[in-house]
């Protein structure tokens, strides 16, 4: 898709892209691990794609279709009130297909299972909050 977007630019035009890269964040790993447990019956739930390429793969693509480009990553840290707030952060996106499939009662049980695992991997900070890491990959590319 990147080469096709680059083709649409006028000479000297710039494409700016921001890509979430949260696959290594414990919360996203916990969700994936919990969803794979047979007790939930989620094997047939169709999830939107959530995979990204590695940064060096983007480098390879951009070096073949851009006259110049810059790439960088940023890790944001979001303080959240508690472990339940972690779930609220991803409820409308990553969790939505699972929760809709499970229905209200089972969805609440699924959320609670994730919260319990999150308590083991997200320490409570001195101020009582937990911190969610949120990694983003950026690039700008010139035609």
């Amino acid at each position: 898709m990147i080469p096709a977007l680059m083709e649409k630019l006028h000479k000297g035009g710039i494409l700016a892209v921001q890509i979430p890269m949260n696959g290594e964040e414990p919360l996203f790993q916990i969700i994936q691990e919990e969803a794979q447990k047979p007790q939930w019956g989620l094997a047939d739930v169709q999830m939107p794609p959530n995979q990204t390429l590695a940064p060096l793969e983007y480098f390879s693509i951009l070096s073949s279709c851009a006259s110049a480009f810059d790439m960088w990553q940023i890790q944001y840290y979001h303080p959240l009130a508690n472990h339940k707030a972690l779930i609220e952060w991803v409820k409308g996106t990553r969790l939505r297909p699972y929760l809709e499939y499970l229905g209200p009662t089972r969805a609440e049980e699924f959320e609670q299972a994730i919260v319990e695992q999150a308590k083991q991997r997200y320490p409570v900070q001195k101020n009582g909050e937990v911190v969610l890491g949120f990694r983003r990959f950026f690039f700008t590319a010139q035609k």
Side-chain angles (χ1 to χ4, degrees), residues 99-114:
L99 300 179
E100 288 174 355
Y101 181 86
L102 290 169
T105 302
R106 298 273 294 150
E108 192 173 311
E109 294 169 5
F110 184 69
E111 287 179 37
Q112 189 56 41
I114 294 168

Side-chain angles (χ1 to χ4, degrees), residues 87-142:
I87 302 303
E88 294 302 320
W89 184 269
V90 295
K91 205 172 191 175
T93 54
R94 195 79 210 133
L95 283 180
R96 188 171 35 94
Y98 295 136
L99 300 179
E100 288 174 355
Y101 181 86
L102 290 169
T105 302
R106 298 273 294 150
E108 192 173 311
E109 294 169 5
F110 184 69
E111 287 179 37
Q112 189 56 41
I114 294 168
V115 167
E116 292 307 313
Q117 288 187 50
K119 287 178 181 177
Q120 298 171 26
R121 294 171 74 183
Y122 286 89
V124 175
Q125 302 301 307
K126 289 181 181 180
N127 67 354
E129 296 176 321
V130 295
V131 178
L132 175 66
F134 208 64
R135 188 168 65 125
R136 290 287 186 256
F137 174 76
F138 298 85
F139 68 81
T140 57
Q142 184 174 0

Side-chain angles (χ1 to χ4, degrees), residues 10-28:
H10 294 288
K11 185 169 176 64
I14 295 178
L15 175 66
V17 175
Q18 177 257 150
I19 302 168
M21 287 191 170
N22 295 317
E24 294 177 12
E25 180 64 26
L27 178 60
F28 290 86

